[in-house]
Amino acid sequence: MVVKVDRGKEIIITKDQLEGQIRVPFPPTDVHAAEVTDTHVVLSWSEPDPRGREPLTFYVERSIVGRNSWHMASMGMTVSSPRFAVFDMQKGEAYTFRIRSVNKYGVSDPSPPSDPISLCAPRAPPASALGLLAIRDTDSSVLLTWKEPKTSEEILGYYLYYCQTGTTDWTTVNNKPTTNTRFTVDGLSKNKEYVFRVKTVSRAGNSEYSEESQRLLVKAAIRVPTQPTGITLLNCTGTEMVIGWRAPANNGGDPVSGYYLDQVDSEVQVWHEVNVKAVKERTYKVSGLLDGHHYQFRVIAANLVGISQPSEPSQAFLCQEWTMAEPGCPYDLEFREVRENSLVLLWERPMYEGQSPVTGYVVEIIQEDEEEGWTALTQEPITDTFLQVSSLKAGKTYQLRVTAVNSAGLGMPSLPSEPIKAQTKPGMKEIEVGVDNDGFIYLAFESNTAGQFEWNKNYREAIDATRATLETKDNRSTLTFTDASEEDLGLYTVAISDCPQDSSSYNFTAEDLERLKELSWNIRNPLIALISPWEIEVGEKGEVRFWLQTEPLTPSAELHLILNDKEISSAPGRKVNFDRPSGLLEILFDELTQADEGSYTAQLRDGRAKNQFTLVFVDEKFRQTLAQSRAKRADWKRKAGPYFLEFLTWKVTEDCELVFQCKVTNVSKDTVLKWYKDEVEMTKFEYDKQSGLSSFTVEQVTKKEAGVYKAVLSDNRGQDVTTLELLNEEFEKLQQHLSRQCALSASPLRVECTAVGFKLYCSLKYYLSYLKPAWYFKEKRIDQQERTKVGSSMQKVWIEIFSPTENDKGKYTLEMFDGKETHTRTLDLSGQAFADAMLEYQRLKQVALAEKNRARVTKGLPDVVAIMEEKSLCLTCFAEGDPPPEMFWLKNDREIVTGGQYSISNEKMCTTLTINNVSVEDSGLYSVFVCNKFGSQTVNVTVSVYKHGEKPRPDAVEL
């Protein structure tokens, strides 16, 4: 597209550019403050039409009113939502804001500015909630209610807290504020007491804690009881009826205080009250009835909260005197000790016994969902009014009924019991039997179910108050016998009034009585427990301490300390300390004497508890302690001046050197240290005053090192001496240590070839005969033979093998015994190693043979001879060799032959050169040369001829 602009200019706009201009977003609208606080402002605005599907973001700009200058408020970044919190605003200034839309095609024009916005004044924290009330709810929860503060504007909610009474550990109930003024707190412990408090939450922060609620025991809330059940006729005289019924299944959290009975005559059909005043028993005698009429009854239970719903009407009972021979029905069936495999059933005797006394009862059972019907639990009628039923199936539901028996036979069966499931209640405990801290025998029962504890013997007999006392605290009840005896034996039962099924029993037998009485005697006549028995300690200064420790004692504990039948206490030189809280008893002796020998007995009493502990301090124990005490006292006195911190000792170093050393301390500039051997003062020792270490080193040990060594340290404060006897066994010990170190320093076995054979050797720092070396070939010891020879030097031990053959190939071992252990070195002289050694031996053998037979001069000539002219010179030289050597004379390296003034004679390995009438011209270097096939040798002599009247050379032999 071509567009003409001013002055005829043309601009070409592409399609994409045109679409980009069209798709730049519209600006937002309705910019306003959604929230204003004393620290920030939250802006909100309406998004524009996005012009297509391109997503929008926004720039936020702000300006202080009156300045007309806009700045970015979104820190140079785009905002993805139409809400933005602006911080960093100055208090007291008014701001206006505007927004720009952004998409990929560009940035919109700014929106219309907002109205002026300023930070508000800081808000005060909210007031505390009022009237916090804690109300019982369940066994693990409490309902809290409270009132809002008087000023409830901007309240966001409430935080709740609880704390168990007697502690300071507050727990937060809710992580998010609750907006209601009622809240149920769960997860509390049953029968524990708690207090509660509340905090109010607003945007300005949290309030102070509210006042704490009243203490509240966590327990299910009290409600009216459920309705009674099981109305039955127990007896009838024609004008009176005895009616019985079952207690409500739930008493509503409070014991049933009584029952109200209503009746109706079937002919009148009008219900009216039987009793105006509530009765506590679950039986009632209804009088004023008409013989031959039928009556129905209903029962209402009452507790602290109110009355229950009436029970279902009973069946219509005929009012007619009972005359049957059989007994009536037992009633008031109750369960005790319900467990997963057993239970105990209790019932009351029938009110109508028939024409003869009741002699027993038949108890029957039926399992839910079984068709077999009622089954008798015993083969013969039982005489008690309770029965323990066993062999139940865990988790199954049962009903039971009871029928009385007299001489006429079976009577009417009782109403079936309520269904009962064979299961053990979680947390159910049994009766505990034991002895308390005062030595009394007790039975105790603990239950998590609220209610009163009811103790009996055989479920119904009251316990004689003179025989036992009862104490109940929290959820634990304790029956304590005053003085348990055989009269107290029997079956003890305990039940919770509000839940009789939470019960237990214990058969207190003669065996229990005997066992617990012994434990009771031990508690009433206790022994003070001993933690640490008598111990003896000797201190640095020779002081002696006896001590023992018992369990902690009270401040009134008594001590009687007996020495040889006489009570003792602190005295000069002896101190007795007794720390009762720690149970520590100690006797301190400054210096032990002969009078302190004997038996020490500590007699202790603390209330009823007592005990005694004896230390037998005689004979060897006394003598050893006395000797140790005196030795330490002497050592302490020794250390008053300069003394040896470490006494004279010796050691062998890795270099097989013997080092004597000691260490001194507490020295001064005047302290003198001297060494002696066999009372002769030594001068060659080292002494480092800084470290106090002094030493003397023997580089190579011999027998002369045996002797008595002594070091003396002294100054004006005192003297200390240390002595070391390096004799007999001690010197033998040194030899052994030294031998071991020498053996450890031994090098591996090596082979050296000679002209006569092999020489196997081992190098050492130095060799001691104490080592007793032994050589082995193929695990067999090598004894002295013609072909072998052992030898040693100060640094080497060896064995020579003469004229070796193939039979000498194999493994060689050197053993060195240091007196305690054997040290070995081995060499495998076989294979290439043996071949190389043999080759070298043969070469050396040939060399030695050649050296032995070669020509050599045996008696040579002097280096220089002097002779006067005109005399005759005779030079003679002897030689040897095999074959006999040839001999030649030379002058200045030129051979001389016989002739003229020279005469040479050779005879029996001897050659002579004679020069007649010598002259100065005969001076020079003469040589004799001998040779054969194995070698040769040349011997030189310088001849100096001097004239008459001259003196010969001073270094020459004059002839």
Side-chain angles (χ1 to χ4, degrees), residues 634-700:
D635 192 55
W636 173 70
K637 290 181 178 179
R638 175 180 71 86
K639 293 178 180 178
Y643 66 92
F644 289 97
L645 187 63
E646 296 176 6
F647 293 114
L648 265 179
T649 58
W650 59 263
K651 67 178 182 179
V652 176
T653 68
E654 292 183 358
D655 294 330
C656 301
E657 294 178 338
L658 171 62
V659 178
F660 297 92
Q661 65 181 23
C662 59
K663 191 173 185 180
V664 302
T665 189
N666 198 26
V667 297
S668 67
K669 63 180 181 179
D670 299 324
T671 304
V672 176
L673 175 64
K674 294 184 178 181
W675 283 63
Y676 299 88
K677 179 178 183 293
D678 297 332
E679 300 301 331
V680 177
E681 186 174 353
M682 301 167 58
T683 58
K684 294 182 180 180
F685 65 88
E686 296 179 359
Y687 175 37
D688 182 3
K689 292 186 177 181
Q690 187 70 25
S691 65
L693 192 65
S694 180
S695 62
F696 172 69
T697 302
V698 179
E699 295 181 354
Q700 194 163 356

Side-chain angles (χ1 to χ4, degrees), residues 7 21 62 80 220 285 385 419 442 469 734 801 804 810-811 913:
R7 298 180 183 179
Q21 292 295 323
R62 70 180 179 184
S80 59
K285 183 186 290 186
T385 57
Y442 70 86
T469 59
L734 167 64
I801 303 171
K811 180 181 176 182
L913 171 64

Side-chain angles (χ1 to χ4, degrees), residues 490-536:
L491 180 66
Y492 287 83
T493 60
V494 61
I496 305 300
S497 60
D498 294 345
C499 189
Q501 296 177 17
D502 288 1
S503 55
S504 182
S505 63
Y506 186 84
N507 188 19
F508 188 38
T509 64
E511 290 77 10
D512 293 328
L513 179 64
E514 182 180 359
R515 174 176 58 84
L516 296 173
K517 273 201 165 187
E518 181 179 356
L519 181 58
S520 172
W521 190 93
N522 291 333
I523 292 175
R524 293 181 179 182
N525 300 275
L527 292 177
I528 295 174
L530 182 65
I531 296 177
S532 295
W534 279 111
E535 297 286 348
I536 301 174

